[in-house]
Amino acid sequence: SLNFMACPVVVTVTWFVADEKKAGGNCVTTTGQAMKLREQPPALLLSEGEEIPLERMLALELIENPG
């Protein structure tokens, strides 16, 4: 796994969230501090506790000057 604690990185991530009751789902976008890139199962972990599966990630943008 890759840990971002030594060099905080703020990102905006868009990923697909499947609907649990029917076919389809929604695209969700959030901005947060990346904490760790986990190998198994592959996911990006944000400081707010969000776990984004890499196979569902659609876009990743680095925020250079957050605030």
Side-chain angles (χ1 to χ4, degrees):
S1 65
L2 179 61
N3 193 327
F4 297 106
M5 294 297 289
C7 181
V9 176
V10 177
V11 295
T12 296
V13 185
T14 301
W15 73 102
F16 179 77
V17 177
D19 189 310
E20 294 181 9
K21 297 181 181 180
K22 60 180 173 50
N26 294 305
C27 289
V28 177
T29 300
T30 192
T31 299
Q33 183 177 344
M35 299 300 287
K36 187 175 185 180
L37 188 59
R38 187 177 61 205
E39 290 181 38
Q40 292 299 325
L44 176 64
L45 309 178
L46 300 181
S47 61
E48 297 78 22
E50 194 81 57
E51 294 189 16
I52 302 165
L54 296 187
E55 71 270 6
R56 298 203 179 266
M57 193 179 298
L58 303 172
L60 177 66
E61 178 184 358
L62 175 65
I63 306 300
E64 293 188 32
N65 295 310

